[in-house]
C-alpha cells in the first residue's frame, strides 16, 4: 500500500473499531486532516445510526455536514466516548505532534473531552522520538513576538538546541486559525521530555495551545503499513 492507501486503511480500521459504539444518541469526536477526511467519508457512508459528531475544525465540520452527518457543538454534546484523529508524528508512548493542518487547539479540546483517543496514521508518522516535525504553537496575535522570545529562552534553559521560528503563512499571508489566532512553527529542537515541554510551553502567556499531545496521549494507534493495519497500545 502506498501512503494514500495506508491513510484510508487506517481510517477503515477506525470505523470498524468505533462501529460497535455507534448507536442512537451517541456523538463522537472527529479530527482534521487527510486521514481524518477518509474517516469522515467512511463514517458518513457506513449507514450507522448514531446521532452525529463534534468536529475539531470548520473544515471537518463542513465535510461532515456535506455528507449528511449532524455536527454538534461540544458544549451541547457533553463528554464524548471516542475521538478519532490523525497525527504528524507519534512515538512509542503514543505521544504525538499534531497541528500540521492548523487545528491543534480544537483537536486538543475535543481530545480532552473524549474518554478514548484513537489515532489513525500511515507508517511514516511513527517515530522513535518527537521533534523532527516542526512543532506548531497557536498564539494570540499580539503576543506573537513575546512568545517567540519566551520559546527561545525555554530552548536555552531546557537544552533543547537552537530552534528557528516560522510564522505560518501562505503566499506571504499569515494563517488565521479557526479561533482567529496565529501559528508559529518551531523547527529544529530536541523534545527529550514531551510532557514537561508541553507544560512549559502552555505556561507562556499568549500561548493558546501547542501541538504537543503528550499529557493526553492517544489510547490506541491504528497504524497502517505496507502489509496492513497494526493495533498499537502504549509501550510502558
Ligand atoms: C491537523 C492534524 C492532522 O491530524 C495531522 O496534520 C495529520 O494530517 P494528515 O492526516 O493529513 O497526514 O493535526 O491539525
Amino acid at each position: 500500500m502506498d501512503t494514500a492507501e495506508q491513510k484510508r486503511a487506517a481510517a477503515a480500521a477506525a470505523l470498524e473499531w468505533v462501529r460497535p459504539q455507534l448507536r442512537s444518541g451517541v456523538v463522537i469526536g472527529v479530527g482534521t486532516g487527510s486521514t481524518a477526511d477518509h474517516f469522515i467519508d467512511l463514517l458518513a457512508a457506513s449507514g450507522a445510526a448514531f446521532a452525529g459528531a463534534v468536529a475539531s475544525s470548520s473544515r471537518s465540520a463542513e465535510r461532515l455536514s456535506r455528507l449528511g452527518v449532524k455536527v454538534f457543538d461540544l458544549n451541547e454534546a457533553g463528554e464524548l466516548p471516542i475521538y478519532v484523529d490523525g497525527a504528524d508524528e507519534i512515538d512509542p508512548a503514543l505521544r504525538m505532534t499534531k497541528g500540521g493542518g492548523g487545528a491543534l487547539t480544537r483537536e486538543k479540546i475535543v481530545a480532552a473531552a473524549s474518554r478514548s483517543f484513537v489515532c489513525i496514521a500511515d507508517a511514516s508518522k511513527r517515530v522513535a522520538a518527537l521533534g523532527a516535525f516542526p512543532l506548531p504553537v497557536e498564539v494570540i496575535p499580539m503576543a506573537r513576538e513575546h512568545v517567540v522570545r519566551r520559546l527561545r529562552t525555554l530552548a536555552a534553559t531546557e537544552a533543547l538546541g537552537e530552534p528557528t521560528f516560522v510564522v505560518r503563512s501562505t503566499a506571504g499571508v499569515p494563517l488565521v486559525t479557526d479561533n482567529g489566532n496565529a501559528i508559529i512553527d518551531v523547527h529544529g529542537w530536541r523534545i527529550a521530555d514531551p510532557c514537561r515541554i508541553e507544560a512549559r510551553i502552555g505556561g507562556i502567556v499568549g500561548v493558546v495551545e501547542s501541538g504537543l499531545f503528550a499529557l493526553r496521549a492517544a489510547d490506541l494507534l491504528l497504524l497502517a503499513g505496507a502489509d496492513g493495519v497494526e493495533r498499537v497500545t502504549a509501550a510502558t
Side-chain angles (χ1 to χ4, degrees):
M1 284 194 279
D2 64 19
T3 300
E5 290 166 336
Q6 288 177 24
K7 287 176 189 242
R8 192 168 174 85
L15 180 63
E16 290 318 305
W17 182 261
V18 172
R19 195 187 281 272
Q21 301 188 49
L22 295 178
R23 293 182 297 274
S24 148
V26 168
V27 179
I28 65 166
V30 174
T32 300
S34 55
T35 318
D37 281 350
H38 284 302
F39 180 71
I40 291 170
D41 296 352
L42 293 167
L43 181 67
S46 70
F50 65 112
V54 171
S56 70
S57 63
S58 50
R59 169 192 148 152
S60 289
E62 279 160 24
R63 193 177 188 98
L64 285 159
S65 295
R66 186 160 32 86
L67 295 174
V69 178
K70 184 171 180 193
V71 176
F72 286 81
D73 183 295
L74 182 61
N75 294 308
E76 303 168 44
E79 191 179 48
L80 307 175
I82 198 158
Y83 177 56
V84 178
D85 197 2
D88 296 301
E89 291 182 326
I90 183 160
D91 77 3
L94 305 192
R95 300 173 297 198
M96 296 159 281
T97 303
K98 290 183 46 55
L104 56 141
T105 296
R106 293 190 185 193
E107 289 170 348
K108 204 175 270 192
I109 293 168
V110 183
S114 300
R115 288 193 290 280
S116 172
F117 186 148
V118 176
C119 179
I120 49 177
D122 62 87
S124 71
K125 306 297 181 60
R126 187 185 223 173
V127 296
L130 304 178
F133 192 89
L135 180 69
V137 181
E138 181 164 350
V139 298
I140 300 292
M142 71 172 288
R144 197 186 64 216
E145 291 309 308
H146 162 75
V147 171
V148 167
R149 288 192 292 275
R150 289 291 182 267
L151 289 171
R152 195 171 278 124
T153 304
L154 176 68
T157 54
E158 296 280 340
L160 306 178
E162 292 185 7
T164 54
F165 305 92
V166 178
V167 176
R168 196 178 297 182
S169 51
T170 307
V173 179
L175 175 106
V176 177
T177 68
D178 281 350
N179 314 305
N181 298 315
I183 289 183
I184 301 165
D185 287 310
V186 186
H187 294 248
W189 61 359
R190 293 180 297 273
I191 303 176
D193 184 343
C195 289
R196 178 178 168 84
I197 299 307
E198 181 180 352
R200 294 292 309 272
I201 295 172
I204 298 173
V205 173
V207 167
V208 180
E209 270 304 339
S210 78
L212 264 180
F213 284 58
L215 295 165
R216 200 275 183 259
D219 299 292
L220 174 68
L221 165 63
L222 297 172
L223 183 73
D227 301 324
V229 180
E230 189 187 348
R231 286 183 190 169
V232 183
T233 50
T236 49

